[in-house]
Every structure is written in C-alpha cells, then in structure tokens.
Amino acid sequence: MARLAATGAQEDIRLYLAKLVRRYRSSDPVLAAKLEDALKRTAAASGRGAAVLRADTGSTLRSQAIPPVDRDSRLSLVRMFDDRGGIEPPLLPADVLSQLEAVVAERRNVELLERRGLRATKSLAFVGPPGVGKTLSARWLAVQLAKPLWVLDLTAVMSSLLGRTGHNLRSVFDYAREQEAILLLDEFDAIAKRRGDDSDVGEIKRVVTVMLQEIEDWPAKSMLIAATNHQEMVDPALWRRFDAVVHFQNPTQQSIASAIRRFMGADADAFDRLVDPMAWIFSGQTLSDVERAIGQLRRRLALSAITPREALQAMLDERIPPLKKSERLHLAIAWAQSGVFSHSEINEITGVSRDTIRKHAGPANRVGRRRRK
Ligand SMILES: Nc1ncnc2c1ncn2[C@@H]1O[C@H](COP(=O)(O)OP(=O)(O)OP(=O)(O)O)[C@@H](O)[C@H]1O
Ligand SMILES: [Mg+2]
C-alpha cells in the first residue's frame, strides 16, 4: 500500500483497498468496515465516490474500475492474476506451445493481418485434464500480451440467486471488455451445460444465450479463454464459436524432467544426474503433482543434513510402495539402463530382484556406476 501511495497510483490503491475489503469481510468484519470506510473516502476525494459505491452494491458496472461482485453474497465474481513480475513459459509439447506462440504473434501483427482482411484470434478454448497448465498458459499469454488476466470465479457466479446468473455473467464480461483484459472462463463445462440437460431450467438456457451473445460480441482487443476438463459436456453451439481449440495433455517424460529441473530452482545442480531417474517415478502424473513433490523434497533437503541422494531416497521410499509390480519393473529397467544406480541399489529401492533386472536390462553398466554421484 505504501509503495502504491508513494507512486501516487490512486486508482491502484482503490483497487487494492477493495480487494482487502473482500478478503477480510468474513474473517475480520471490523477491519473490513474500516477499510471500506477508507475506500469510500479515497473515492470521494478523487471525485468518483458514486461509481465506487455503485460497484460495491453490484449494480450497473460499466465504466468502473472496481471488479464486479455478486449483489447478495458480495463475493467477487472475478479473480485477478498479477504476473507483472514475469512468468516462465509453460512446459508444453512443441505443437501446443507453438499454437500459443502463434496467438501472441498474431496480436503483435494485427495491422498486417487487417491489411489482408484478417483478424487476430480473439477467443481460445483450452481442453485437458486437471493440473496440466491450462491456467498457467492463460497467465503466460496475459504476460506476453501485456494485459491483465481476470478469471471468472464460477463458484460465485453459479451460487448467485436464480435469475442473477445471467446478470452476473454480463457484468463480468462488461468489466473484462472495458479493461481490455484477458478473461479466463474456468470450468467452462459447469456454466455451459448442454441445453438439453435433464436439470435444464430456464436459467441454464438464459446463461447459454448470454454466453453465445457475449462470445460473438467479444472485442478483438481483448481475449477470451474458456478452459474445461470435459469438452463433451460443453454445448457444441458454444464450442463452435471459439476461434481455436488447444488440447493439453499429461506431460511427456521429457517435460517431466524439464519441470523437475525448473522446480528444483537453486538445488538443480545438486540433483543433476538424478533428474532423469526421478522423472520416471512421475510417469502418468501432472506437473502440478511434480511441483508439489519437488517442493517437499527441497524443504526436506534444506532442513536436514542429508545429501541430495538421501533426499531422493526418502522421496522414493514414499512413492515406490504404491507402485504396481509392473511399474516397479519398468522403473528398475529404466534406472539400470541409465546407469545412475547400481543393480543392488535398484533392488534395495524397488524390491525388484537383481536377477530380474539383469535379465531385462543386461549386465550392470560399469561406466555408469563409476560416474554416479
Ligand atoms: N505445463 C506446465 N508447465 C509448467 N508448470 C506446470 C504445467 N502444468 C502444471 N504446472 C504447474 O502446476 C500448477 C497448476 O497448473 P494449472 O493451474 O495451470 O493447471 P490447470 O490445467 O489449469 O488445471 P485445472 O483443470 O485443475 O484448472 C501450475 O501453477 C504450475 O506450477
Ligand atoms: Mg486451471
């Protein structure tokens, strides 16, 4: 707050205050009331009191800088990601990343496109399982395009009283449009239920109608991204209206290894040759899982006098037991072939017998054994 005040960023201060009011409203209502009071005073001082108060009660939201809230629950309808500090590109297969890069390139060459009567991509649909980088990719796009990223908070919108969902949706779209922001509609399947659904009420129909209109009218300067784990649940009429669909998948062995190196941060060097063997134990998992496990491992390494190898060992002790027999064998063979562990170490860690390892992976790799850490 002091930093904002020092730079005289009045509008940012008001936004930040509004955020704090929302954050503390339930946990510390007294503090929230004081903050709200302060907010009203800054608003009055800047001559925009009326606008702020209106936003706070959730009515007309055009031409206001305060994000929309639900009138009854007072929950904020959108969340903002502030990645102005920069963000590393998501680790994605080359074809997926190049799809995203193409979108950025189009935005940077809008005039060139316009001269040929073309318009840049303005709406994207992200499909894929949880934890594979859909939200992260939206954040990265926002940074590349130097735009704020607003995420539609579905819980708030859907929990709004019957009849208000459409209104709330419109206020979110209005707000994002006005800010020329990137708007991420997360869990799109939940809002965009098939029109023929059994639970179909008039409300869902209205919501879909609002959506159809909003997507259609979405301005070229902003970007609309819808993310879902279940494309099949989304009304095809809605789906068709997006300019491009990007399919996200569970990470490959190679992206898992890159992710481990990235999440290792300052500890990456210490683990160097252990990274590939480590990547095997995350097969079939998401980078979100990898991030969590590596975080644990680094904390363990930081707080106890153990070597990287021992930290890895501790991680394996937790992760190997639930593996199926065939998965352990797979792991044992991969490790034997990489030469990072000796056969007897592999036997100790995985429980796969040395004979079995030798049978599948060939004799122990002496060069590898000598080079190991
Ligand atoms: N492709 C990736 N590259 C780098 N980090 C990733 C990637 N995928 C996931 N992560 C890590 O996992 C975290 C969660 O990923 P993210 O929120 O983007 O998943 P999501 O696909 O949006 O999942 P959901 O469907 O549950 O919303 C990220 O913040 C990041 O740290
Ligand atoms: Mg997400």
Side-chain angles (χ1 to χ4, degrees), residues 89-92 128-137 139 186 229 262-263 287-288 291:
L91 295 160
L92 298 168
V132 293
K134 298 183 297 297
T135 301
L136 184 71
S137 298
R139 289 168 59 188
D186 228 344
N229 306 142
R262 179 183 289 186
F263 299 144
L287 296 192
S288 182
E291 186 177 32

Side-chain angles (χ1 to χ4, degrees), residues 25-44:
R25 197 165 265 143
S26 54
S27 63
D28 190 345
V30 178
L31 175 63
K34 280 189 190 158
L35 290 168
E36 192 161 11
D37 198 41
L39 175 62
K40 282 175 188 164
R41 271 185 280 122
T42 63

